[in-house]
Structure formats: C-alpha cells, structure tokens
Amino acid sequence: MQRPEVVVAAIIFNVKREVLLCKSAKWNNKYVVPGGHVEIGETLEEALIREVKEETNLEVYDVSLVALKESIQEDLEKKNERGVSAQRHYIVFDYVCQTKDTHVTLNHEASDYVWCALSEVFSYDLDPYTYTFFKAYRDDHSTFKKVIIYNA
C-alpha cells in the first residue's frame, strides 16, 4: 500500500537577508529551495537541517514553520498493471531559517544557485511549489501560521 510522502523545504536567509534559490534538473531546470523526504525516526526540523546540509553544505538555525502543503498528483513515470498513472501524495512542511554562510556547495540535485533579495525572487523561473511557498511567506510573515495549501 502506498502512503503519503512527508517532505520538508526551506527558505534560507543569509546574513545579508538574501534568499537561496537552486536550479534543479530534477524540477525541469526551474529554481527551487532545498528540501526532501523525512526519514524514519527524524523530527521535521532534523530532516530539514539534514536535507539543507546534504544539498548545499549550509548549516541553518532559527527554523520556523511557514506553511503546510498537501499535493496529490499523477506520477507520469509510474504506471500500474492496467497502464494507469500512479498517484504521488506529498505532505510538505515549509520552513524559513537562517544561515551565517554564503558559500554553497551543491550536490547532484542542483546545477546552479543564486542568492537574491526577497523582492527579486519572483523574477526567477520558479517551480510552482516554490512559487507558492514564497507567496505564502510574502503574504504573511508570522513565525507560525496554520495554512494548508491543497494541490499547490
């Protein structure tokens, strides 16, 4: 039986108040933020810290929840025995955090990165999930809010 996949993602601010965007072939060469799956036995924040470190080599702190997203979509790469596309079901916890570093070492998941002002983020070719994440953050700067965005 398939189950929903629990995922974390992070808007990362550096000491200049710039945010990190990573260009990823995995996401159609669009800009995204670091993140990934939560492993068994990890807290959400532990998973976020680990994923950011693995993907960027950045240490992060002051982790705060921004939004909870849920997405149910077709997985066009996987088909069942009748040739029907399988479904992917993600539950995504979106966070904002800080880093003292500006030097990024990317792993295989991204080909390029940029630090930019928050006001410039929407001028980049963002993945739809990343766009929605930044929009939720921009529209309400609370440190914790109860937002569920379905099929973002």
Side-chain angles (χ1 to χ4, degrees):
M1 174 183 199
Q2 272 190 308
R3 299 187 187 277
E5 300 173 54
V6 179
V7 179
V8 293
I11 293 175
I12 304 169
F13 283 95
N14 67 21
V15 293
K16 299 177 190 175
R17 295 299 297 160
E18 298 168 320
V19 295
L20 178 66
L21 296 175
C22 300
K23 192 172 198 176
S24 176
K26 182 178 174 181
W27 300 104
N28 298 317
N29 286 315
K30 295 192 181 292
Y31 283 92
V32 297
V33 294
H37 288 85
V38 177
E39 302 292 335
I40 297 292
E42 276 184 319
T43 67
L44 296 168
E45 288 187 22
E46 288 169 346
L48 182 82
I49 291 166
R50 176 187 53 76
E51 284 287 346
V52 168
K53 182 72 172 171
E54 287 176 5
E55 294 179 15
T56 67
N57 202 37
L58 294 173
E59 302 281 342
V60 294
Y61 61 94
D62 286 346
V63 176
S64 297
L65 185 64
V66 172
L68 170 63
K69 289 190 291 201
E70 182 173 33
S71 177
I72 302 170
Q73 58 188 272
E74 274 188 278
D75 184 346
L76 301 176
E77 295 178 14
K78 294 184 182 177
K79 305 217 184 263
N80 66 17
E81 64 279 351
R82 292 173 287 153
V84 176
S85 294
Q87 283 192 325
R88 301 287 304 258
H89 185 164
Y90 295 100
I91 299 172
V92 185
F93 292 84
D94 287 333
Y95 288 90
V96 64
C97 56
Q98 312 292 319
T99 187
K100 293 178 182 173
D101 304 317
T102 56
H103 178 72
V104 174
T105 303
L106 297 172
N107 71 1
H108 66 279
E109 293 184 39
S111 60
D112 198 11
Y113 73 93
V114 62
W115 288 103
C116 68
L118 186 58
S119 61
E120 299 171 350
V121 165
F122 294 104
S123 67
Y124 288 88
D125 189 14
L126 302 174
D127 165 81
Y129 303 103
T130 304
Y131 176 89
T132 304
F133 184 3
F134 275 104
K135 186 175 180 318
Y137 180 74
R138 179 194 66 194
D139 293 347
D140 184 351
H141 291 283
S142 64
T143 57
F144 180 83
K145 59 185 212 178
K146 298 171 187 168
V147 174
I148 300 177
I149 304 167
Y150 290 94
N151 290 326

